Amino acid sequence: MAARNPFRIRNVFVLVGFIWIAIFLIWNQDVVRTVKTSAITSITETSQAPVSSSGEVASASLPDAASNKPVVNNNLQNLQVSSSTIKSILAAPAPVTHNLELTISHHEMAPDGVIKKMTLINGLFPGPIIRARKGDRLRIRVTNDLDNFDESTSLHFHGLHQRGTNVMDGVPGVTQCGIPPESSEFVYEFDLAQSGSFWYHSHSRLQRVDGAFGGLVVYDNDESYQIERDYDEEIYIVLHDHYHAEGKELFDWYLGEQSSGFEPVPDSGLVNGAGHVDCDRVRRKHSCDSPPRKRPMFQFERGKRYRLRILNASAFAEITMSIDDHEMDIIEVDSTEVERYSVHMLTIAPGQRYSTIVLADSVLEAVMMRLQIQTSCFQYRPPALDKDFDTVIKYVTPETSSVSRFVKKLLKRDQADVEIEGDSYDPAEVDSISWEDALPEAECIDIDETKLVPIKSASVPDFTVRYKISPKTLNLERVQQAPFGFINRTTFQPAIGAPNIQVAFGKANILDTVTVPTVTGRDNDPVWGGAQLVTQIPHGAVVEMVINNSDDNAHPFHLHGHDFWVLRSYGERVAGEGRWREEYAEKYNTENPILRDTVTIPRRGHVVIRFVADNPGIWAFHCHIAWHLAAGMLMQFATGLDKFNPDSISDIMLDHCAMERDLGERLLRPLPGDEYRQRKQNKQGNPQDPED
């Protein structure tokens, strides 16, 4: 019998010990490792600061004044989070103060392969996704690091009522003056009294068109749909149109004779800030020599239920969405929870949000998420625009065995390699078939509002005051046929350095400001300055708004500070029937209608909404198409000002307005064809001779 070799036995024990130590280390690494990130971009949920597209590191959080700390880093682009993260947010022992640093600055990026100067938040596109819990406090320090001396900025938190904090609503000329450039700062601070899907964006100039926006999610233990009970994971999906030229350049074109009154049409569609275009079809003035972008992609695990929080952050485009071989159960509309309503296609207007639950039960390895820009909403379609910007959902198999993970690492097939392979999935290999009834409609209209039933039932109170408004794009001879946006013959042009909430309480005097040239040529408003439509409403009034749209374009309208019931929505089917008439009141849906904050007014049609004006302050109501808003399609409700606390207007807000008034005439934007434009050109010595 051969003698045992002690050295061989020892080597076996050493090898076995090494293997078990390696398995133990890998297992512990996997325990603390956060959920796999979306395949669109590299995302983490650690305290590491993210790197922007330009290589800069986003600012760290402000020092936390509270003893507790957030469980999620809101300075990151948290597009997909694990169930454990959501449960940690919900299980925090006390309300959390989330301290954020957001810097708004210019960066060059090529989201679809074309290089563009963009306006970004912390160098990210989209901006950081903020996640918090109902009852938490947001303290957001915003720094304006933009290049131009006259380019102020602001942030509006779309869908949040800002009850008691009207001054934090972020609308220049209404609730504040813009944050001045050259590293000026302002802190938005407010409590979260709602839950659901929201977003935030710049409300200054055309900065939203150039990328200044991000997502916001607020959780609540009392929500009807809960993590792990009703869904297993959550993904925030931002759909939006994209322009290769800067917003200011496009707006100048829009107000010029060459546009013929047609809005600028986007060049491509993006998913979470990524897409691609065919460089051969891009106009020569744009640089399209960057490396081709990989098609953004999502990953599903078979058997899991995914909550998709979907936002249309577009400047102009309505977008339709469907997923081959999967139904989508709508559970939330603009932060209102609704009874499950199964659809094959979503129609989403700019500013709107939907949550859907999707069961990953397909037998296919990959399916198409079909996304389409609704070109029927446009007056023209550029030949280079590909209205379809579909993406891929790939099914992946979860790794449940520590040994299998160890073997993969030994074979040098770590998680990073798997993600890279998944990212390059060829859409041509996807053979899924679209739903037959998921074809886009010919009209730009919302989902049938009568199918969307809020879980919290409510009967609509009778109205105490009714207003009729008519949004309209008008081409006036006085401004050389430039298409300005009107509501009841008024196009919004605010006073300089005198926002209305400050004027209302004597904090700013319109007599201290320069005269604003108005589109109609009328004198400035004697109360508010500029050209404005401000309707004063008693506190607690039930307001019915009848909105008639005689334009050939749909108008998605958003109300600040309130949600509203949609009682009726009607697009013209027979000539003459589109305009509201008194007898239509008998057809209102007043028994538990949908409650939302953004609604589409169909072309040549009307919508009737109703809301309770119980939130003191001055609130904007406007079209969410960026071009119409910038051209003046905005009105305001001054609600219950006798119950407003003027002490909420801080000294820094007054200082920013004083700085704006000091700039005075330098901030005036010349109107097309206006005498002021000619005077300014002559003063600057700009020759008008085309031969020069």
Side-chain angles (χ1 to χ4, degrees):
M1 186 175 180
R4 291 193 178 111
N5 187 334
F7 295 102
R8 179 176 298 174
I9 295 174
R10 186 186 65 182
N11 290 342
V12 170
F13 277 107
V14 169
L15 179 60
V16 171
F18 170 77
I19 292 174
W20 279 109
I21 290 173
I23 292 174
F24 175 79
L25 292 175
I26 294 170
W27 172 257
N28 279 279
Q29 179 184 1
D30 291 335
V31 168
V32 299
R33 186 170 55 191
T34 54
V35 69
K36 285 189 296 183
T37 61
S38 162
I40 296 176
T41 185
S42 179
I43 306 162
T44 66
E45 295 177 26
T46 68
S47 59
Q48 179 183 354
V51 178
S52 74
S53 59
S54 61
E56 298 177 1
V57 178
S59 301
S61 295
L62 290 166
D64 196 346
S67 58
N68 51 7
K69 293 184 178 180
V71 296
V72 61
N73 186 347
N74 281 322
N75 280 324
L76 297 180
Q77 201 180 37
N78 298 299
L79 292 164
Q80 184 168 348
V81 294
S82 64
S83 60
S84 60
T85 297
I86 297 174
K87 289 172 65 179
S88 297
I89 294 174
L90 290 168
V96 175
T97 297
H98 300 264
N99 294 282
L100 291 90
E101 286 261 10
L102 300 182
T103 299
I104 300 179
S105 55
H106 290 140
H107 297 263
E108 280 198 347
M109 281 190 71
D112 61 0
V114 175
I115 299 173
K116 174 186 176 180
K117 181 180 178 181
M118 302 186 68
T119 304
L120 303 182
I121 300 173
N122 285 5
L124 298 174
F125 182 50
I129 308 296
I130 302 172
R131 297 179 186 270
R133 182 183 63 174
K134 183 178 178 180
D136 287 355
R137 172 169 286 248
L138 293 185
R139 185 187 297 132
I140 304 174
R141 176 180 289 165
V142 177
T143 301
N144 183 350
D145 199 22
L146 297 171
D147 305 330
N148 304 322
F149 82 95
D150 61 343
E151 190 168 6
S152 63
T153 192
S154 63
L155 283 186
H156 167 60
F157 301 87
H158 186 121
L160 294 185
H161 296 162
Q162 297 289 4
R163 190 171 296 276
T165 50
N166 174 242
V167 295
M168 297 293 162
D169 198 43
V171 185
V174 180
T175 61
Q176 70 173 90
C177 292
I179 306 167
E182 300 181 357
S183 300
S184 295
E185 298 176 347
F186 179 73
V187 177
Y188 292 93
E189 186 167 0
F190 49 87
D191 294 327
L192 295 169
Q194 303 158 253
S195 61
S197 302
F198 308 94
W199 64 305
Y200 64 94
H201 57 81
S202 171
H203 221 287
S204 297
R205 296 195 177 185
L206 282 305
Q207 292 167 9
R208 173 167 63 95
V209 178
D210 293 332
F213 57 81
L216 169 62
V217 181
V218 184
Y219 300 96
D220 183 9
N221 282 309
D222 294 330
E223 286 181 284
S224 299
Y225 301 97
Q226 293 285 333
I227 187 70
E228 290 189 347
R229 187 191 68 194
D230 300 291
Y231 59 98
D232 303 298
E233 288 190 23
E234 175 181 299
I235 306 173
Y236 200 106
I237 301 176
V238 184
L239 309 175
H240 51 111
D241 54 21
H242 182 65
Y243 293 81
H244 293 157
E246 290 183 58
K248 180 183 181 301
E249 177 186 344
L250 292 166
F251 188 59
D252 288 342
W253 174 87
Y254 177 47
L255 295 185
E257 293 183 32
Q258 62 270 38
S259 75
S260 300
F262 297 161
E263 299 86 352
V265 171
D267 296 293
S268 67
L270 304 184
V271 183
N272 288 354
H276 61 81
V277 293
D278 182 353
C279 286
D280 292 337
R281 300 172 66 183
V282 173
R283 283 180 287 182
R284 292 182 180 179
K285 70 174 186 176
H286 300 301
S287 176
C288 192
D289 56 359
S290 60
R293 299 279 297 192
K294 293 180 179 178
R295 183 183 293 267
M297 191 194 71
F298 296 93
Q299 294 182 350
F300 278 4
E301 291 182 14
R302 191 165 283 104
K304 280 192 173 183
R305 300 157 300 174
Y306 291 86
R307 178 171 185 161
L308 309 181
R309 295 185 186 264
I310 307 160
L311 158 69
N312 184 354
S314 292
F316 187 20
E318 183 175 284
I319 293 173
T320 58
M321 169 183 171
S322 66
I323 302 175
D324 292 357
D325 208 31
H326 295 75
E327 292 186 334
M328 297 180 287
D329 286 352
I330 300 174
I331 61 168
E332 180 201 9
V333 179
D334 289 359
S335 80
T336 294
E337 291 187 309
V338 298
E339 302 286 352
R340 284 180 181 252
Y341 175 53
S342 182
V343 297
H344 295 158
M345 182 191 72
L346 275 175
T347 301
I348 316 169
Q352 292 181 338
R353 294 91 61 210
Y354 287 89
S355 275
T356 69
I357 291 179
V358 177
L359 174 60
D361 61 350
S362 177
V363 298
L364 302 174
E365 291 187 3
V367 297
M368 297 298 295
M369 178 187 290
R370 300 189 187 272
L371 304 166
Q372 188 174 99
I373 290 175
Q374 268 283 40
T375 55
S376 60
C377 305
F378 304 156
Q379 298 285 357
Y380 67 97
R381 178 180 171 184
L385 172 64
D386 186 354
K387 65 179 181 178
D388 297 306
F389 58 109
D390 306 336
T391 187
V392 176
I393 297 175
K394 180 183 178 183
Y395 272 85
V396 296
T397 303
E399 298 176 49
T400 57
S401 166
S402 299
V403 175
S404 67
R405 285 193 291 266
F406 173 65
V407 172
K408 271 199 169 187
K409 287 183 179 292
L410 289 179
L411 296 175
K412 295 183 179 181
R413 289 178 54 83
D414 58 11
Q415 181 61 37
D417 292 331
V418 174
E419 289 183 357
I420 291 173
E421 288 183 1
D423 244 355
S424 59
Y425 199 95
D426 185 0
E429 299 177 11
V430 180
D431 56 0
S432 62
I433 301 174
S434 65
W435 294 99
E436 291 184 0
D437 58 345
L439 297 176
E441 300 289 338
E443 298 288 341
C444 295
I445 55 177
D446 289 338
I447 294 173
D448 184 355
E449 74 278 357
T450 63
K451 305 295 186 183
L452 305 172
V453 181
I455 288 178
K456 294 181 179 179
S457 180
S459 293
V460 181
D462 292 336
F463 70 89
T464 57
V465 60
R466 174 189 281 166
Y467 298 104
K468 299 177 183 178
I469 66 170
S470 298
K472 180 71 176 174
T473 301
L474 292 175
N475 300 0
L476 300 184
E477 185 67 34
R478 184 179 182 279
V479 287
Q480 293 185 340
Q481 302 298 316
F484 280 88
F486 284 78
I487 297 179
N488 290 8
R489 301 184 180 181
T490 301
T491 185
F492 175 68
Q493 292 168 282
I496 291 176
N500 291 344
I501 197 64
Q502 294 185 20
V503 172
F505 292 96
K507 303 283 187 179
N509 189 340
I510 60 169
L511 298 179
D512 296 334
T513 67
V514 299
T515 301
V516 176
T518 63
V519 173
T520 59
R522 294 195 292 262
D523 292 338
N524 280 201
D525 188 287
V527 176
W528 308 107
Q532 306 188 62
L533 175 58
V534 183
T535 301
Q536 300 199 44
I537 302 174
H539 184 265
V542 180
V543 180
E544 179 169 298
M545 295 289 298
V546 176
I547 310 165
N548 286 302
N549 177 18
S550 59
D551 275 347
D552 286 327
N553 289 333
H555 293 295
F557 260 74
H558 170 54
L559 176 61
H560 291 221
H562 306 76
D563 290 332
F564 50 75
W565 291 286
V566 182
L567 306 187
R568 177 175 166 85
S569 176
Y570 185 81
E572 184 178 76
R573 299 177 179 87
V574 178
E577 287 188 354
R579 191 168 184 84
W580 180 87
R581 295 199 293 263
E582 186 71 44
E583 57 264 30
Y584 291 160
E586 299 177 359
K587 301 179 181 179
Y588 288 175
N589 174 24
T590 58
E591 291 300 320
N592 202 26
I594 187 60
L595 190 68
R596 64 186 315 167
D597 58 58
T598 307
V599 66
T600 300
I601 321 300
R603 60 180 297 276
R604 297 191 178 279
H606 67 266
V607 163
V608 181
I609 65 174
R610 198 175 290 177
F611 66 94
V612 180
D614 59 355
N615 192 4
I618 302 182
W619 306 101
F621 185 49
H622 62 85
C623 179
H624 221 274
I625 291 176
W627 314 116
H628 297 168
L629 174 59
M633 195 174 287
L634 178 150
M635 66 172 293
Q636 300 156 66
F637 296 106
T639 302
L641 294 186
D642 57 323
K643 298 184 180 299
F644 181 85
N645 178 16
D647 293 338
S648 62
I649 303 172
S650 64
D651 290 341
I652 188 65
M653 302 183 90
L654 299 179
D655 291 343
H656 287 170
C657 290
M659 296 171 67
E660 190 172 293
R661 289 193 295 272
D662 288 342
L663 286 173
E665 212 172 284
R666 299 175 69 189
L667 296 178
L668 291 177
R669 181 181 178 87
L671 300 173
D674 194 88
E675 291 180 350
Y676 176 80
R677 182 178 189 179
Q678 187 67 42
R679 291 201 308 271
K680 184 175 181 181
Q681 289 173 335
N682 291 340
K683 186 176 181 180
Q684 293 176 341
N686 292 336
Q688 301 299 308
D689 188 352
E691 297 295 324
D692 195 292

